[in-house]
Amino acid sequence: MKLPAIKGFDEEAFNKYLKNTGWLMFGKVLSLIVGLFIARYLGPDLFGDLNFGLSLVAILAAIGALGLDTFIIREIIKEPAKRDEILGTSLWLRLITNAAAIPIAMAIYYISHKISKNPGEPLTIMVGLLALASFFKSFNVIDAYFQSQVQSKYVVQVQNICLIISAVVKLILIYLGLPLIYIVLALVFDGFILALGLVIIYQKRGFNIFRWNFNPDRAKSLLKQSSPLILSAVMVSIYMKIDVVMLKEAGSKAVGIYSAAANLSEAWYFIPVAIVTSVFPALINARKTDIERYHKRLGNLYDLLVYICLPVGIFISFTADFIIHLLYSNKFEGAGAMLSIHIWSGVFVFLGSASSQYLIAEGYTKIAFYRTAAGALVNILLNLWLIPKYAGIGASIATLIACFISTFFILLIPKTRQQGIMMLKSLFLITAFQKIFKR
């Protein structure tokens, strides 16, 4: 994939890091299309139940990831000879945590269902199965290894094969007219085949997962380093997903309509993740050898992400109603207004993804936690106020404000303020105009 030239970027290196993005985009687009079929098939009520379960489990799944991905990458780059120990320890930590999350998710849902003013149909079994699907994500440590070697293309290939199989299975279920629980079982199957695929590709690359080993000292070290990121990841999940959970009090239909808008709005969030993940090793290397180049790369990264998200935000704002009607017919009326608001959260998600890598590279993991905690707290408080008044519209506004606060919280901290100013300059296209007039 060839990117347009951007002044200040090492074009050859940048394209090397991002050449797999086209395949990643294919996978995400396929997932979006299948998701649209599922939404139209289930309708607002059942689609709302499914997304409520997914959102509840996503919050717990953030704990199960243990914030280890970035540290796995860093540790393997630092100690390549200890690969099997690092991966084995990380895998066992995740397996244990994710296994414990299954009964916890079911218990949390069961208790909340009992005390709810608008309980609806019980979904305990569905929540348990969705938590089981998250259990298989423990094997994403293999993905982290390939990222450390700048070889994510192998993982993308596995993901796309699994997505094609998954899409076929789900479309067959829809064609047969089977109930919601079968869609949930298909999601469990998705998790299983992806984990299996990751193991197979790792083995095919000449490695052996059975040589992995668990080291208690390594486990303590990894958990000590990642503990702020565990809490940070939970806070990210809360401010991204708590709106769906809290909206359940307004009924499954309200959740379904809002989810239809939010899923479209969030469908492109893989772009900053793909870009930032790809360039993270280059940023780390630049920081070691040339601080000025390191900061220049960060600034160019902020610019690139803004160049991508601003046109999309403007376009979606003016066409949201048409898009919702085109994709969902008349089943999700009201989702257009929510989409036109929610889409702007992406601007801050994009910039937040990039600045998170800066915080990690500098060892500012506590600041990463504080800013996401601030976003989560603001989202919860705004949802408590806005959802009873405006339902899904209120949830969209709360998410937008929370994302803004989370991203630019670093302006409040003297040692990170310069990065916040760099992001603001990118957001308001100041650096873009500076580059234009320098020419």
Side-chain angles (χ1 to χ4, degrees), residues 128-303:
L129 288 171
L130 291 173
L132 175 60
S134 289
F135 170 81
F136 294 113
K137 292 182 180 178
S138 303
F139 288 88
N140 283 358
V141 296
I142 297 174
D143 183 8
Y145 168 73
F146 283 114
Q147 288 181 36
S148 72
Q149 307 302 301
V150 197
Q151 295 178 345
S152 294
K153 63 180 181 180
Y154 300 114
V155 175
V156 173
Q157 289 168 4
V158 170
Q159 289 173 338
N160 285 335
I161 292 170
C162 292
L163 279 170
I164 292 170
I165 296 171
S166 169
V168 172
V169 169
K170 288 170 186 170
L171 292 176
I172 289 173
L173 295 178
I174 292 171
Y175 176 77
L176 295 175
L178 296 175
L180 172 61
I181 193 65
Y182 285 88
I183 301 293
V184 175
L185 288 171
L187 293 174
V188 177
F189 175 69
D190 290 353
F192 171 75
I193 61 171
L194 179 56
L196 181 61
L198 289 172
V199 172
I200 290 172
I201 196 67
Y202 185 79
Q203 299 288 116
K204 280 193 170 185
R205 295 299 300 164
F207 308 114
N208 190 346
I209 194 172
F210 298 104
R211 291 178 183 167
W212 291 6
N213 57 85
F214 181 86
N215 185 312
D217 292 331
R218 176 74 66 177
K220 291 176 185 177
S221 174
L222 285 170
L223 290 176
K224 184 178 179 180
Q225 293 178 76
S226 68
S227 55
L229 287 186
I230 298 173
L231 296 174
S232 179
V234 172
M235 292 303 171
V236 169
S237 293
I238 287 174
Y239 87 72
M240 294 300 292
K241 298 297 182 182
I242 198 65
D243 41 10
V244 174
V245 175
M246 296 178 72
L247 196 57
K248 187 69 165 65
E249 283 295 310
S252 295
K253 184 175 182 178
V255 176
I257 293 173
Y258 173 76
S259 296
N263 288 354
L264 285 178
S265 176
E266 296 168 5
W268 65 322
Y269 286 3
F270 76 93
I271 293 177
V273 174
I275 293 174
V276 170
T277 298
S278 297
V279 303
F280 183 63
L283 288 174
I284 292 294
N285 289 330
R287 186 180 181 276
K288 290 178 183 177
T289 58
D290 188 341
I291 290 294
E292 185 178 345
R293 188 182 185 196
Y294 164 63
H295 287 290
K296 190 174 184 180
R297 282 185 172 182
L298 279 168
N300 288 328
L301 179 58
Y302 298 146
D303 287 344

Side-chain angles (χ1 to χ4, degrees), residues 292-363:
E292 185 178 345
R293 188 182 185 196
Y294 164 63
H295 287 290
K296 190 174 184 180
R297 282 185 172 182
L298 279 168
N300 288 328
L301 179 58
Y302 298 146
D303 287 344
L304 174 63
L305 294 175
V306 169
Y307 298 159
I308 293 171
C309 63
L310 279 185
V312 174
I314 293 169
F315 174 77
I316 296 294
S317 293
F318 286 102
T319 59
D321 284 327
F322 171 76
I323 290 171
I324 292 294
H325 180 75
L326 177 68
L327 297 178
Y328 297 111
S329 187
N330 296 318
K331 293 184 177 181
F332 292 84
E333 289 296 328
M338 300 175 200
L339 176 59
S340 65
I341 298 168
H342 200 290
I343 192 66
W344 288 103
S345 301
V347 177
F348 308 114
V349 170
F350 274 44
L351 291 172
S353 296
S355 57
S356 291
Q357 300 305 307
Y358 160 77
L359 294 176
I360 291 167
E362 296 294 329

